[in-house]
Structures are given as C-alpha cells and as structure tokens.
C-alpha cells in the first residue's frame, strides 16, 4: 500500500456520486496533478455532461456504462487507483470485480460498498 501512495505518476480514476458530475472532484484533481499524477474523471450516465438522459437508463448497468467502457479500454498492464464517492461506489464495486487486474487499489470515500454478503438491494434497509 505504501508503494501506491508514495509512487509518482499513478493514474487516478475518480467516480462521482449521483446528482453530481466530474466537477465535484476539481480540488482533488488539482492536488493530484500538482504531485505528478495522471487523473481521469468518469462522467456516469445521465449525470454531469454525459449525453444520456435518465429516460435512457433501463437499469444500473446503463448508469455504470461509461466507467466499464473506460476500464475495458485500459491497456492490460496498466493499473489505476479507482476512487469513488457515495453512489459511485456501486459502479466501482462492479468494476473491481470485473477488472481486478487493472486496479491497484479502490478508495471508497463515504461510498456505497455492496458485496457478496451485502447486495445493493439491502443497502439502506433497516434491520
């Protein structure tokens, strides 16, 4: 973990929350770039400036499509630091399962973190 944090020229991929867009990361983008890192901010479907509209989304897969397409397009040998906030955690959780070989570490900043024993349908339910 220390190597990931201290090494320069890491590639950070930031995923915003629902009801926001890539702009919410503007301060972090500036700080990361100032330290010599590459930064990509994914604009999830029907949010930010993504051209898809809410009516175009049939399911959560459509919402996550921009991140999945980005991850699929990464070179096989490249590993990114994938960070998310809030509802962006749903997309990052899926990406970490599908593209585990392309992710050095996942960072969940007050984000949803579903998993095998905690499916998305149970998050937020009172027990």
């Amino acid at each position: 973990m220390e190597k990931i944090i201290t090494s320069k020229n890491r590639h950070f991929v930031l995923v915003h929350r629902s009801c926001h867009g890539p702009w919410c990361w503007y301060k972090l983008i500036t700080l990361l770039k100032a330290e010599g890192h590459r930064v990509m901010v994914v604009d999830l479907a029907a949010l930010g400036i993504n051209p898809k509209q809410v009516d175009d989304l049939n399911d959560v897969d459509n919402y996550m499509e921009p991140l999945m397409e980005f991850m699929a397009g990464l070179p096989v040998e490249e590993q990114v630091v994938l960070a998310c906030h809030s509802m962006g955690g749903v997309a990052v959780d899926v990406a970490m399962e599908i593209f585990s070989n392309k992710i050095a570490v996942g960072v969940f900043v007050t984000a949803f973190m579903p998993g095998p024993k905690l499916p998305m349908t149970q998050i937020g339910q009172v027990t």
Side-chain angles (χ1 to χ4, degrees):
M1 181 72 154
E2 185 176 321
K3 181 182 174 191
I4 291 168
I5 294 170
T6 59
S7 66
K8 295 290 182 180
N9 300 319
R10 296 297 309 179
H11 188 178
F12 285 80
V13 178
L14 309 176
V15 182
H16 61 83
R17 57 171 279 168
S18 61
C19 303
H20 273 164
W23 64 83
C24 70
W25 295 104
Y26 77 96
K27 289 182 181 181
L28 183 59
I29 293 167
T30 303
L31 293 170
L32 290 170
K33 285 184 175 182
E35 290 296 319
H37 300 290
R38 291 185 301 143
V39 182
M40 166 61 179
V41 184
V42 176
D43 194 7
L44 296 175
L47 298 166
I49 61 170
N50 187 292
K52 281 194 175 178
Q53 299 297 308
V54 173
D55 294 337
D56 298 333
L57 304 181
N58 297 321
D59 56 31
V60 74
D61 290 340
N62 295 138
Y63 171 74
M64 300 183 296
E65 193 173 287
L67 176 60
M68 298 307 134
E69 288 175 354
F70 174 80
M71 294 300 297
L74 282 174
V76 176
E77 68 281 353
E78 185 169 358
Q79 287 196 320
V80 299
V81 176
L82 192 54
C84 61
H85 174 57
S86 188
M87 189 66 171
V90 175
V92 168
D93 178 70
V94 172
M96 290 182 73
E97 289 184 29
I98 296 172
F99 303 103
S100 59
N101 59 322
K102 294 183 178 185
I103 301 169
V105 65
V107 180
F108 289 74
V109 181
T110 60
F112 290 99
M113 192 173 180
K117 295 186 178 182
L118 183 62
M120 188 60 198
T121 55
Q122 291 182 357
I123 290 180
Q125 289 182 353
V126 178
T127 57

